[in-house]
Amino acid sequence: MYVAPSILSADFGNLKAEIEAICEAGCDLIHVDVMDGHFVPNLTIGPVVVNAVAKAATKPLDIHLMVENNTFFADLFLPLKPKFLTFHIEEEKHPLRLIDHIRKNGVSPGIVLNPHTPINSLEYIINEVDMVLLMSVNPGFGGQSFMPQVIEKTRALREMIDKKNAKCLIEVDGGINGLNAPDLEEAGADILVAGNYIFSSNSYEQAIRAIKLEF
Ligand code: DX5
Ligand code: ZN
């Protein structure tokens, strides 16, 4: 199981030290939530700050776009060379074109589904992406409650991936903690994002280990 701390819950007044601390604590990726105030009712960070994050990080970035104009924002963040760049299927008329564009820039493309979006929308996309991100909260804010129906959705997506012989990873994002992580792992998740659970803990290392089910 890979763990991607969401820096939305980090102390932004102390961002460099926070990034260094989660990298040292054993995270696998750094999850960066980009919100535009239109697709979601919150506004976060742009490429200037994310570039500072990338410089402080010893782990690759996983950039999650929650925006209306995906191509515009993708072009702002692709030069930072994240490992993954993911965008919402609900907000993209030409997802296959954007997936191709991201890959041609040397970045792994991923697609994100809101909690209400069915996985059958992925039927003709699943073999083209490196990751599917299932939202387990309504996007926009850290610290919300996990929606348990995403456990079954994860299981169904795992079946779809196996049936179609696709290579993509499953990431789940929102309300994840040491208690729901075992169910998600059992259902077939590969990467778990956690913001509030890690950054509000006394020990980032122990929180990451709890999600990885290492005790
Ligand atoms: C929600 C974001 C998540 C969120 C996760 O819109 O995509 O990445 O910050 O934070 P927690 O783990 O606090 O729900
Ligand atoms: Zn996210």
Side-chain angles (χ1 to χ4, degrees), residues 6 8 31-35 64 66 133 135 171 173-174 193:
S6 161
L8 196 56
H31 186 82
V32 178
D33 290 304
V34 174
M35 306 184 186
H64 173 194
M66 284 158 274
L133 168 48
M135 290 307 302
E171 183 175 49
D173 179 9
V193 176

Side-chain angles (χ1 to χ4, degrees), residues 64-195:
H64 173 194
L65 298 180
M66 284 158 274
V67 300
E68 280 192 347
N69 190 339
N70 283 305
T71 303
F72 171 80
F73 281 93
D75 284 337
L76 290 181
F77 291 98
L78 283 169
L80 304 181
K81 297 289 175 207
K83 169 66 186 149
F84 295 103
L85 184 64
T86 64
F87 63 90
H88 277 256
I89 195 168
E90 300 86 7
E91 197 54 52
E92 184 51 52
K93 283 192 191 118
H94 304 291
L96 292 174
R97 179 182 291 157
L98 183 53
I99 287 163
D100 196 42
H101 180 64
I102 293 169
R103 199 179 289 289
K104 281 192 174 129
N105 279 272
V107 173
S108 292
I111 196 103
V112 192
L113 268 58
N114 271 331
H116 72 278
T117 304
I119 61 164
N120 62 17
S121 59
L122 296 171
E123 186 166 1
Y124 301 104
I125 293 183
I126 196 92
N127 292 92
E128 311 302 325
V129 288
D130 292 346
M131 184 213 278
V132 173
L133 168 48
L134 297 180
M135 290 307 302
S136 41
V137 296
N138 289 307
F141 302 94
Q144 303 182 80
S145 297
F146 179 76
M147 295 178 167
Q149 59 269 39
V150 177
I151 295 169
E152 276 318 299
K153 195 176 183 182
T154 302
R155 206 184 308 281
L157 177 59
R158 172 56 57 199
E159 276 171 24
M160 181 193 240
I161 289 170
D162 291 346
K163 201 165 141 201
K164 289 191 166 270
N165 208 12
K167 301 280 176 285
C168 71
L169 297 169
I170 301 178
E171 183 175 49
V172 185
D173 179 9
I176 288 169
N177 55 41
L179 291 177
N180 50 35
D183 290 338
L184 289 165
E185 176 165 22
E186 189 268 321
D190 301 294
I191 308 171
L192 297 180
V193 176

